Amino acid sequence: MRALLLGGAGFIGLHLARRLVHDGHRVTIVDDFSRGRDDRELAGLRDRPGVEIVSGDLTHPATWAALPRDVDQTYLLAAVVGVRNVESDPARVVRVNSLAALHLLDWIDAGNRLFFASTSEVYAGGVDLGIVPVPTAEDVPVVVADPRAPRFSYAISKLLGEAAVVHTARAKGFPAVVGRFHNVYGPRMGADHVIPELSLRALRGEDPFRVYGADQHRAFCHVDDAVEAMVRLMAVPPTGETEIVHIGNDAEETNIGDLAKLVLRTAGVDPRLDPAPAPAGAVARRCPDLSRLRALTGYEPAVTLEEGVRRTFDWYREFWPR
């Protein structure tokens, strides 16, 4: 099997690439390296048999013209993500994420199976409005509370991508899966996400230790579990309709205050906690209903939050500059 990983040098992309190579598949990684990194971990894949790495901007049609056509699976993971990016340049978020998806759908043919990476943010506005239950299944209304708010630009771009994938897959006859990720974390995910951010501040010895949105609840999913879910979903026999499936870990929901305490215990420090308001627009609670994922694949999350935080903290302690 040959897989094309668009955004394959990024966080989830590199972990997926390692898994596919380990399973004996050929992998082509495409990235513009605006967020994905050409680091020692990518270098560890570069010389493996069957691995090709291509630098290319997926918003440019010329990039697509040069990509290999003899692929069995394509994963669209490339996107502008992160609260800081979304708040500072929402126009770029909409442009890059939408163009990458639309160019892909022009390029793909019926012999290729597609995984489109989406997000729980597409329905988060409904949670805030009280019309979407938590834990949340795939059949809830998708809601963007205010299209003028920069924070919703990411959700809007992914909602457009979901609709484009569903309808183009039907029109062109290729099988597709839309995976909505829920708070995936792990090594090498940058510094703008809550677990790495808490870890780095603990390593720097911050005291008092600021905790934003301590009473908010999340269900965090280690990247190894997310990759396992993706691989299983892409092995499910196609039904003729695009599957929209929530990916995450519903076994251990926690509040951010308790998460901070877990990170600090892992770091071996005991600063005074300083609670602070959550970032504007952050949903109060997020947890997926994984009934559809289980029914399709038999998936169960395997990495506990304590173990996943330890692995993530250890990686940032060893490799991330402070």
Side-chain angles (χ1 to χ4, degrees), residues 37-314:
R37 290 179 294 279
D38 193 353
D39 57 9
R40 67 173 193 88
E41 303 206 24
L42 185 64
L45 279 177
R46 180 174 277 110
D47 296 329
R48 296 285 298 273
V51 176
E52 179 185 14
I53 299 175
V54 176
S55 179
D57 184 343
L58 296 175
T59 67
H60 292 170
T63 298
W64 294 95
L67 293 183
R69 308 288 309 194
D70 59 332
V71 297
D72 304 291
Q73 296 182 353
T74 296
Y75 296 79
L76 181 54
L77 303 165
V80 181
V81 301
V83 174
R84 289 184 177 89
N85 288 311
V86 170
E87 294 282 357
S88 64
D89 198 350
R92 176 171 174 258
V93 172
V94 173
R95 177 183 180 276
V96 170
N97 296 357
S98 300
L99 283 177
L102 295 175
H103 284 319
L104 165 62
L105 294 173
D106 285 340
W107 172 87
I108 199 168
D109 57 36
N112 200 332
R113 189 169 195 180
L114 173 63
F115 181 96
F116 176 74
S118 190
T119 173
S120 59
E121 292 290 335
V122 299
Y123 67 74
V127 176
D128 288 335
L129 293 171
I131 62 173
V132 168
V134 181
T136 309
E138 294 84 355
D139 58 356
V140 300
V142 290
V143 177
V144 175
D146 183 0
R148 299 167 299 179
R151 185 178 178 91
F152 287 112
S153 61
Y154 179 63
I156 290 168
S157 72
K158 287 299 184 179
L159 186 54
L160 169 63
E162 286 194 14
V165 167
V166 168
H167 297 300
T168 307
R170 184 181 300 125
K172 297 180 74 169
F174 63 85
V177 174
V178 172
R180 291 179 180 162
F181 291 118
H182 289 66
N183 291 104
V184 179
Y185 73 98
R188 197 182 173 271
M189 71 178 302
D192 293 337
H193 304 268
V194 61
I195 292 177
E197 189 259 344
L198 291 170
S199 298
L200 291 170
R201 288 198 284 120
L203 286 165
R204 290 193 292 264
E206 180 181 304
D207 190 359
F209 194 85
R210 183 66 60 90
V211 181
Y212 296 93
D215 59 346
Q216 293 195 327
H217 285 73
R218 297 289 184 270
F220 292 95
C221 176
H222 190 269
V223 65
D224 289 351
D225 283 335
V227 166
E228 177 67 25
M230 296 167 71
V231 170
R232 290 185 179 220
L233 283 168
M234 292 294 273
V236 173
T239 63
E241 291 293 329
T242 297
E243 296 283 0
I244 298 177
V245 185
H246 287 178
I247 295 174
N249 182 341
D250 58 355
E252 291 185 275
E253 191 175 354
T254 186
N255 67 47
I256 301 302
D258 288 341
L259 174 68
K261 293 174 184 176
L262 173 58
V263 171
L264 293 170
R265 287 198 305 273
T266 304
V269 296
D270 188 26
R272 179 174 65 84
L273 298 184
D274 181 17
V283 67
R285 185 184 176 206
R286 179 182 296 129
C287 179
D289 180 333
L290 299 183
S291 299
R292 181 174 295 178
L293 177 60
R294 288 188 172 95
L296 287 169
T297 70
Y299 164 90
E300 289 292 341
V303 182
T304 66
L305 183 61
E306 184 171 357
E307 172 65 15
V309 166
R310 184 194 62 77
R311 293 185 200 176
T312 304
F313 179 86
D314 287 348

